[in-house]
């Protein structure tokens, strides 16, 4: 729940988020992220980020690039997290 709350708080700060060349409403992006997370789909989660994205996770973990974000979720889901 903490992860989702953090994402939603960050998304609510901007009226539009640019995903590639397509403008996406923050709620739509949050819904896509939530669906991918609930499906435990690291490829779909990573696909929501730009290739050179930087994601900062709790505990000051910094993920650099789409592949690092993908690998993080692969490991996270492997540990049996929700």
């Amino acid at each position: 729940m903490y992860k989702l709350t953090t994402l939603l708080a960050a998304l609510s700060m901007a009226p539009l988020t640019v995903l590639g060349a397509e403008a996406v409403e923050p709620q739509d992006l949050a819904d896509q992220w939530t669906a991918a997370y609930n499906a435990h789909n690291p490829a779909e989660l990573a696909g929501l980020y730009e290739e050179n994205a930087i994601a900062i996770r709790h505990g000051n973990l910094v993920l650099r690039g789409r592949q690092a974000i993908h690998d993080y979720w692969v490991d996270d889901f492997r540990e049996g997290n929700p």
Side-chain angles (χ1 to χ4, degrees), residues 3 33 37 42 45 57 69-77:
K3 295 173 188 176
W33 192 96
Y37 178 84
L45 279 166
R57 304 296 305 154
I69 293 167
H70 174 271
D71 295 346
Y72 171 85
W73 288 113
V74 167
D75 290 340
D76 186 72
F77 294 144

Side-chain angles (χ1 to χ4, degrees), residues 7 19 33 45-51 53 55 57 66 69 73:
L7 171 72
L19 184 63
W33 192 96
L45 279 166
L48 296 173
Y49 294 85
E50 292 291 328
E51 186 63 41
R57 304 296 305 154
R66 187 180 292 150
I69 293 167
W73 288 113

Side-chain angles (χ1 to χ4, degrees), residues 3-80:
K3 295 173 188 176
L4 180 57
T5 303
T6 302
L7 171 72
L8 293 177
L11 290 176
S12 68
M13 294 180 204
L16 288 176
T17 301
V18 177
L19 184 63
E22 178 183 342
V24 179
E25 290 292 329
Q27 186 59 55
D28 294 338
L29 182 58
D31 291 345
Q32 292 172 21
W33 192 96
T34 300
Y37 178 84
N38 288 339
H40 287 194
N41 187 334
E44 192 171 331
L45 279 166
L48 296 173
Y49 294 85
E50 292 291 328
E51 186 63 41
N52 60 349
I54 297 174
I56 302 173
R57 304 296 305 154
H58 51 84
N60 297 325
L61 173 64
V62 177
L63 306 171
R64 297 183 187 280
R66 187 180 292 150
Q67 186 62 50
I69 293 167
H70 174 271
D71 295 346
Y72 171 85
W73 288 113
V74 167
D75 290 340
D76 186 72
F77 294 144
R78 185 177 298 134
E79 293 173 5

